[in-house]
């Protein structure tokens, strides 16, 4: 049975059949099944561009056919379960063939490496032009993810080394002002590529950390955008919002306490207040990552369902500017572990987990009943549970 999609509910998970070197429990059939049970109307599709396409020595971009087939298969599996929309996240960048900075998140310095920077942006634009033509069902696009991280993990200069400290990487970490410049330039070029073949498609602002610095970051973004000095390269400039992004994208993690308390609520209102102060209060806001890690603690596992429901209630009553919420993430990590926090996000246990393999966590049951009604039969949530 295909359930009617919920207009506000989305799902956020990484497919191991779409990307390399991903936990093998994150399979298309599992993601699609639960997208149907949670009545997700949209799925956030994580895609590593450097695996999906290649760029030759003349900066010509080509989608790899076998990878295109993988993406088609994934989208079709989701559509069969009632998913209507897709938001494509660039989980890594594509680089010109002669570039050395190919770790996925390195970006040439806009000032010191201006020529390389222009080529980098142009390559991204070309790839989006191809994607929009090949996959017309994808109408939402995220240029990158959490570029504002102070440690530089997802946006940095060539030379950045994972595993080193922030101090050791200091020379390769962009300042907040530099991040703002890159994000605006990238958003503009992505938007140009997307709109060329689908004028109704929308670019999202890259999701960002819910920290004390977030209001200042957002203030700088809109201040710079409305200055009319962007993109920072080339002769053509714009101060029009629709030339950069048309959907705001919060990652509303409760980083201090984990709770949906008054401090969290006021933080969300403060961010929206920044938008209003720049005259863009009518721009829809999406939560493309909404979730908690239980850190493998039984007490936390019992609390997370209630936190989700509290967010839904607050959004309905007070944060009415939030139009879509993506559940993050579907499964715990089992054979491609990262750290205790990241490994234990998940509404369900991984099919390769040592305990409770394939079973739903209490949060999955709470969400399914909230979305489908209290009389929902939870049996489908156990479809992949090990007997």
């Amino acid at each position: 049975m295909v359930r009617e999609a919920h207009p506000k509910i989305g799902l956020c998970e990484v497919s191991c059949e779409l990307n390399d070197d991903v936990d093998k429990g994150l399979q298309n059939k599992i993601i699609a099944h639960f997208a149907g049970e949670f009545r997700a109307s949209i799925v956030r599709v994580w895609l590593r561009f450097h695996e999906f396409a290649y760029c030759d020595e003349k900066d010509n971009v080509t989608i790899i056919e076998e990878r295109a087939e993988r993406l088609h298969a994934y989208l079709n599996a989701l559509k069969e379960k009632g998913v209507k929309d897709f938001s494509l996240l660039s989980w890594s960048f594509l680089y010109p063939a002669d570039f050395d900075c190919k770790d996925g998140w390195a970006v040439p310095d806009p000032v010191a490496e201006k020529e390389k920077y222009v080529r980098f942006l142009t390559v991204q634009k070309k790839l989006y032009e191809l994607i929009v033509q090949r996959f017309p069902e994808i109408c939402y696009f995220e240029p990158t993810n959490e570029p504002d991280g102070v440690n530089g993990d997802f946006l940095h200069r060539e030379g950045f080394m994972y595993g080193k400290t922030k101090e050791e990487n200091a020379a390769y970490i962009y300042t907040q002002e530099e991040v703002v410049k890159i994000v605006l330039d990238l958003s503009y070029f992505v938007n140009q590529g997307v709109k060329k073949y689908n004028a109704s498609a929308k670019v999202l602002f890259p999701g960002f950390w819910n920290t004390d610095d977030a209001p200042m970051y957002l203030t700088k973004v809109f201040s710079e955008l409305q200055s009319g000095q962007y993109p920072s390269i080339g002769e053509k400039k714009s101060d029009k919002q629709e030339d950069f992004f048309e959907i705001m994208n919060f990652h509303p993690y409760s980083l201090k306490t984990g709770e949906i308390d008054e401090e969290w609520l006021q933080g969300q209102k403060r961010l929206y207040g920044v938008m209003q102060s720049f005259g863009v209060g009518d721009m829809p806001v999406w939560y493309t990552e909404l979730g908690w890690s239980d850190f493998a603690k039984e007490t936390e596992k019992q609390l997370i369902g209630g936190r989700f429901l509290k967010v839904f209630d607050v959004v309905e009553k007070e944060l009415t500017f939030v139009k879509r919420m993506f559940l993050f993430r579907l499964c715990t990590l089992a054979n491609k572990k990262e750290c205790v926090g990241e490994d234990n996000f998940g509404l369900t246990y991984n099919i390769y987990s040592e305990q409770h393999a394939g079973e739903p966590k209490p949060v999955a049951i709470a969400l399914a009943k909230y979305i489908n009604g209290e009389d929902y039969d939870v049996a489908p949530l156990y479809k992949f549970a090990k007997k």
Side-chain angles (χ1 to χ4, degrees), residues 307-364:
R307 292 172 182 162
F308 269 106
L309 301 193
K310 191 167 184 179
V311 171
F312 295 162
D313 183 62
V314 170
V315 164
E316 189 70 25
K317 295 176 180 177
E318 298 190 57
L319 305 180
T320 55
F321 51 85
V322 178
K323 304 304 180 184
R324 276 179 148 164
M325 298 170 283
F326 294 64
L327 312 177
F328 179 82
R329 55 190 296 170
L330 177 60
C331 298
T332 57
L333 302 182
N335 53 56
K336 192 64 182 176
K337 294 187 176 183
E338 298 179 29
C339 63
V340 66
E342 195 69 31
D343 296 347
N344 291 286
F345 274 90
L347 310 179
T348 70
Y349 293 97
N350 197 297
I351 58 172
Y352 295 104
S353 293
E354 293 180 3
Q355 297 180 325
H356 307 294
E359 294 180 10
K361 293 182 182 180
V363 58

Side-chain angles (χ1 to χ4, degrees), residues 11 13-18 24-37 70 73-81 83 330-331 348 351-352 380 383-386:
L11 187 61
E13 184 53 281
V14 181
S15 165
C16 70
E17 297 177 50
L18 195 58
K24 64 182 181 180
L26 311 181
Q27 300 170 11
N28 289 357
K29 64 181 180 181
I30 296 174
I31 299 171
H33 172 75
F34 282 100
E37 294 306 312
R70 291 195 197 187
Y74 185 45
L75 298 180
N76 288 337
L78 293 167
K79 285 188 281 189
E80 288 176 3
K81 294 298 184 178
V83 177
L330 177 60
C331 298
T348 70
I351 58 172
Y352 295 104
K383 179 176 181 177
F384 301 101
K386 300 299 182 182

Side-chain angles (χ1 to χ4, degrees), residues 9 27 29 43 45 68 75 77 116 130 134 141 155 192 248 258 262 266 294 307 330 352 356:
I9 299 296
Q27 300 170 11
K29 64 181 180 181
V43 167
V45 179
L75 298 180
K116 290 180 70 174
L130 295 177
R134 280 293 288 273
F141 298 88
L155 184 64
Q192 290 281 300
M248 180 45 62
E262 187 63 21
Q266 292 306 316
D294 57 42
R307 292 172 182 162
L330 177 60
Y352 295 104
H356 307 294

Side-chain angles (χ1 to χ4, degrees), residues 70-132:
R70 291 195 197 187
L71 181 53
H72 276 302
Y74 185 45
L75 298 180
N76 288 337
L78 293 167
K79 285 188 281 189
E80 288 176 3
K81 294 298 184 178
V83 177
K84 300 181 182 299
D85 296 324
F86 304 95
S87 184
L88 183 69
L89 168 65
S90 170
W91 197 21
S92 71
F93 299 121
L94 181 66
Y95 298 99
D98 60 331
F99 276 30
D100 294 325
C101 53
K102 295 182 178 180
D103 69 6
W105 291 288
V107 173
D109 190 295
V111 177
E113 302 175 291
K114 185 175 181 180
E115 182 180 346
K116 290 180 70 174
Y117 183 62
V118 173
R119 289 177 61 200
F120 164 81
L121 291 171
T122 303
V123 164
Q124 312 314 306
K125 176 176 176 285
K126 289 179 178 180
L127 179 53
Y128 279 93
E129 290 175 1
L130 295 177
I131 291 173
V132 168

Side-chain angles (χ1 to χ4, degrees), residues 21 33 62 111 133 137 173 242 250 267 310 337 379 381:
D21 201 30
H33 172 75
T62 304
V111 177
Q133 293 176 82
E137 62 266 65
I173 297 176
E242 62 269 22
F250 295 174
K310 191 167 184 179
K337 294 187 176 183
L381 301 182

